[in-house]
Amino acid sequence: MEKIPNLDDNNEWFTEATLPYSDPVLRISSKISDVIYDQKSDFGHVQIFDTPFYGRMLTLDGIIQVAEKDEFIYHEMMITLPAIKHGNPKNILIIGGGDGGAVKQALRIKSVQKIVMVEIDQSVIDTCQTFIPSIADGALDDPRVEIIIQDGKDYIENSTEQFDLIAMDLTDPIPGGPAADLYEESFYAQVKERLSEDGFLSTHCSSLVIQPEEAKTMIPRLKNVFRNVSLHTAVIPTYQLTSFGFLIANDTSKTMSDEDIDRGFSNISGESKYLSKDMFYASSAVPPYLGIQ
């Protein structure tokens, strides 16, 4: 039997690669039912597995990116939550997000008129559309969606368009990796220039339990650029079975009332699977022991 990279000798168990900012003594393993796809692109090693627990799962360079079981939690936190905070976003930029789940959630926003998705790796889009189509569920074919194959950093540097929400649906900040520069303070400053006056930036800061230093690094960088930075969390089993962090930043002096939040929720069509009003408010509570914020 040919050994598949990132699997054990019997190709039965996938073990996630060491995560940036994490302790290398800990690894997370998942039982594999089948290897669906295993190829290298110009930007990394793309694999798709069938798993008994997570359903079909995409990994890049040995790190889990998305899975059928709980992708809705991640994408509602990444897109729906900041959209509710904004209240009425019309133009949305998604940097990364080749699986299509972020676009799917963005299309639930009643006020949305245009979504631009900038993805560096066409093969991620193609592979997910072929082997995990349920995540996008046809969203990438919507006429309001424009797909640009480009480095997100280059797009931000050369664009003049303004957006009400910019969501950075990125791979991990692996040193030397394709997303590393998109976690730097200088890049956040460039992103701010592409936001409308009341615009929001949304990004993730990984597992707060296994990778706490990532959030502790990103929060000061964002605070040096934006007036307001808030940390929200959700337990997403796919991502190390722990509390996963999301950072929402904006630069307005306006404070949000309960009525504003209610109006934000009324701007979302359909029923969210995760982000109820109770979960929205609860997501901003962070245990003191983590030492974050």
Side-chain angles (χ1 to χ4, degrees):
M1 178 186 297
E2 181 183 356
K3 187 179 185 305
I4 305 297
N6 308 311
L7 300 188
D8 67 355
D9 291 340
N10 296 318
N11 293 338
E12 294 181 350
W13 286 87
F14 164 84
T15 299
E16 193 166 28
T18 300
L19 300 163
Y21 295 95
S22 70
D23 192 326
V25 302
L26 179 66
R27 298 285 185 92
I28 305 294
S29 295
S30 306
K31 180 76 172 177
I32 300 300
S33 304
D34 196 9
V35 179
I36 304 301
Y37 185 87
D38 179 54
Q39 297 289 333
K40 289 187 177 180
S41 75
D42 291 338
F43 300 96
H45 189 184
V46 183
Q47 294 173 300
I48 293 183
F49 304 110
D50 270 338
T51 74
F53 186 78
Y54 297 113
R56 196 155 283 189
M57 178 176 77
L58 167 71
T59 75
L60 298 177
D61 292 325
I63 296 177
I64 300 172
Q65 302 300 311
V66 69
E68 290 177 306
K69 181 183 181 75
D70 53 21
E71 58 85 13
F72 66 91
I73 306 176
Y74 172 84
H75 289 121
E76 286 182 24
M77 293 295 292
M78 175 65 69
I79 300 294
T80 311
L81 188 147
I84 290 168
K85 285 194 164 193
H86 183 282
N88 192 43
K90 295 179 174 63
N91 301 309
I92 296 177
L93 171 63
I94 298 166
I95 301 177
D99 55 71
V103 172
K104 178 175 66 178
Q105 292 299 329
L107 288 171
R108 296 179 57 220
I109 303 166
K110 296 176 184 177
S111 58
V112 77
Q113 298 173 356
K114 180 180 180 181
I115 301 165
V116 177
M117 185 181 83
V118 179
E119 166 62 55
I120 195 172
D121 194 344
Q122 177 72 56
S123 73
V124 171
I125 298 174
D126 296 341
T127 302
C128 289
Q129 289 287 87
T130 301
F131 297 107
I132 325 181
S134 62
I135 293 180
D137 196 22
L140 301 187
D141 297 323
D142 191 282
R144 291 169 290 179
V145 178
E146 177 183 2
I147 300 173
I148 298 174
I149 305 303
Q150 187 179 2
D151 186 319
K153 187 173 187 291
D154 292 342
Y155 178 84
I156 288 292
E157 289 175 348
N158 295 294
S159 172
T160 58
E161 192 166 357
Q162 299 284 297
F163 297 93
D164 299 319
L165 170 59
I166 297 178
M168 296 171 58
D169 187 5
L170 305 172
T171 55
D172 291 86
I174 299 170
D181 289 345
L182 281 67
Y183 288 83
E184 297 295 332
E185 184 178 321
S186 58
F187 182 69
Y188 296 143
Q190 291 176 319
V191 169
K192 181 179 175 180
E193 295 299 313
R194 301 277 65 80
L195 286 171
S196 58
E197 184 177 355
D198 58 349
F200 281 75
L201 165 67
S202 171
T203 188
H204 70 78
C205 55
S206 299
S207 168
L208 302 181
V209 177
I210 295 176
Q211 303 159 272
E213 293 306 315
E214 184 168 328
K216 292 176 183 178
T217 299
M218 291 176 64
I219 290 171
R221 291 177 181 176
L222 284 166
K223 285 186 173 180
N224 285 338
V225 176
F226 292 93
R227 181 181 301 183
N228 309 305
V229 178
S230 58
L231 173 63
H232 293 260
T233 74
V235 175
I236 307 172
T238 293
Y239 304 133
Q240 298 83 50
L241 302 163
T242 60
S243 292
F244 196 81
F246 297 86
L247 293 168
I248 314 297
N250 73 330
D251 212 46
T252 69
S253 58
K254 178 185 175 182
T255 58
M256 286 179 197
S257 65
D258 290 342
E259 290 76 17
D260 292 327
I261 300 302
D262 286 339
R263 280 191 290 270
F265 267 97
S266 69
N267 191 40
I268 306 299
S269 63
E271 184 175 352
S272 296
K273 296 181 181 179
Y274 180 79
L275 203 62
S276 66
K277 289 182 183 177
D278 285 342
M279 294 306 298
F280 178 93
Y281 287 110
S283 71
S284 61
V286 179
Y289 85 93
L290 293 174
I292 301 172
Q293 279 198 331

